[in-house]
Amino acid sequence: MNLRIFDSLDDLVSAAARTVVQRASQRETCSIALSGGSTPKPVYERLGSSPLREELEPRQITWVVADERYVPFDDPQSNAGMIQKTLFANGPSPIHRFLPFRTDLGDPQKTADQLEIEWRELGLGDLDLVILGMGDDGHTASLFPGTGAIDVEDRIAMPVYVPRLNSWRVTITKPVIRAAALRIVLAAGASKREILRQIREGADYPIAVVTRGVETWWFVDKAAAGE
Ligand code: 6PG
């Protein structure tokens, strides 16, 4: 496991943001999928502020929402809304493209289908980078354990009903995440300690399944690493 342990969350956020800029700067065009959650959020804030915003501005980037709560864009729970308020807080670059889930369609399956239509219209192939969080139950994106979502191989995006949350999600799928050139997993805080320990010992949670055997950089803080 390619694991970097940071003294603080701020150090982790800085390193993750710098890594995104470096990866985006290495190629003419790139596609980056962004997960929701409290750990990825400050990374997006950093990327949407000076000086990193200016470094990213001229790059031809397509930002893809990796997963979404099935709520309106202006709902506080919306990942696309969170990205709008962080990465795009100072205005998106005119040459960047943004691919959110259209939860305004009012039907999770239609929303997943629409994302696939727009994915193809944009000419997206394998993603260059996927930023993933990790739940303390081992979920990532909205691939939650026990939902069967991790087993879907023939879709780019799918709806997922999550009983534990009593709510619908839409998410990119395991094959899409595994096909990306690079995955960065962000995990911080003592609440991630136990699940990270189990994953390092080979547990088969969704976050392990989407990262096993493919280039993945784990950015964790000391609290999550159990140090
Ligand atoms: C979401 C995310 C989800 C998140 C993890 C980690 O929509 O919530 O996509 O997969 O990344 O639950 O979240 P935290 O970083 O807040 O623990």
Side-chain angles (χ1 to χ4, degrees), residues 141-164:
S142 285
L143 303 173
F144 283 81
T147 63
I150 195 68
D151 299 321
V152 172
E153 300 272 359
D154 59 347
R155 295 298 306 267
I156 292 171
M158 63 180 288
V160 187
Y161 180 71
V162 186
R164 182 166 78 88

Side-chain angles (χ1 to χ4, degrees), residues 6-43:
F6 295 88
D7 287 338
S8 69
L9 176 60
D10 190 61
D11 290 349
L12 183 158
V13 168
S14 297
R18 176 53 55 194
T19 301
V20 173
V21 173
Q22 283 166 353
R23 297 294 291 197
S25 304
Q26 289 168 356
R27 40 189 53 80
E28 270 311 299
T29 64
C30 74
S31 52
I32 302 174
L34 306 174
S35 292
S38 60
T39 313
K41 182 178 177 181
V43 178

Side-chain angles (χ1 to χ4, degrees), residues 130-183:
V130 183
I131 295 178
L132 295 169
M134 178 182 71
D136 56 14
D137 63 350
H139 81 262
T140 193
S142 285
L143 303 173
F144 283 81
T147 63
I150 195 68
D151 299 321
V152 172
E153 300 272 359
D154 59 347
R155 295 298 306 267
I156 292 171
M158 63 180 288
V160 187
Y161 180 71
V162 186
R164 182 166 78 88
L165 303 174
N166 187 28
S167 62
W168 281 95
R169 298 276 190 105
V170 277
T171 184
I172 58 175
T173 56
K174 171 185 68 178
V176 169
I177 297 171
R178 288 184 58 81
L182 176 64
R183 284 138 297 276

